[in-house]
Amino acid sequence: IMNIEIVKRSDFKSFFDMKTRWKDMDALGHINNATFLTYLESGRIELVKKWDFKKPPFIQASTKIDYLRQLSHPASLQIGQKISRVGHKSFDILTGIFEEGEEKPVAQAVTTLVGFDYESQKTVSVPEVIRQALED
């Protein structure tokens, strides 16, 4: 039994909608666990678009996913995301993946990103716009 705090739909202010695809299923007939990384990335891209960076000044360091129940195709998903922690050089995005109309998530994740300058290949401070997003 997992001892984690489960996110709620009300933890998020905005959602990115997407639908499962036939190719997302595995041999057991449910959505494959690896596919959830694609759902997270799709949601993260939508979140980053709000900040209007020409090139995002960060790089992904880790993702921890908690699979809370099986998901079958077809399904309409709503992906809620928010900045949940900001440090000097890193920040976390908390994500809840919900089936449309459901209050409890199918999965939840925490992705850690690190401020990064791709030209110098060095870490940098988290941009101010992301610090402000923590308070939203």
Side-chain angles (χ1 to χ4, degrees), residues 20-128:
T20 59
R21 305 159 300 185
W22 176 261
K23 70 178 188 169
D24 295 348
M25 287 190 295
D26 61 19
L28 299 175
H30 60 257
I31 302 301
N32 184 275
N33 63 304
T35 303
F36 283 82
L37 284 168
T38 301
Y39 299 160
L40 293 171
E41 182 177 24
S42 295
R44 191 170 56 252
I45 288 168
E46 292 302 311
L47 180 66
V48 169
K49 283 181 183 178
K50 294 178 183 179
W51 298 325
D52 203 28
F53 293 118
K54 288 183 181 172
K55 183 175 182 182
F58 41 80
I59 193 167
Q60 185 172 337
S62 71
T63 298
K64 179 190 181 296
I65 304 173
D66 295 310
Y67 302 98
L68 304 171
R69 61 184 176 87
Q70 294 180 46
L71 178 62
S72 298
H73 175 74
S76 294
L77 303 177
Q78 295 177 310
I79 301 171
Q81 296 191 94
K82 69 178 185 178
I83 304 300
S84 59
R85 181 196 64 83
V86 176
H88 179 62
K89 291 189 175 186
S90 67
F91 65 99
D92 293 343
I93 298 174
L94 176 65
T95 305
I97 299 176
F98 299 85
E99 276 191 271
E100 188 174 42
E102 295 290 326
E103 290 301 315
K104 294 183 180 180
V106 173
Q108 64 186 39
V110 175
T111 301
T112 300
L113 297 127
V114 175
F116 196 74
D117 180 323
Y118 286 86
E119 283 188 33
S120 68
Q121 292 290 297
K122 294 187 179 186
T123 59
V124 297
S125 297
V126 173
E128 186 60 33

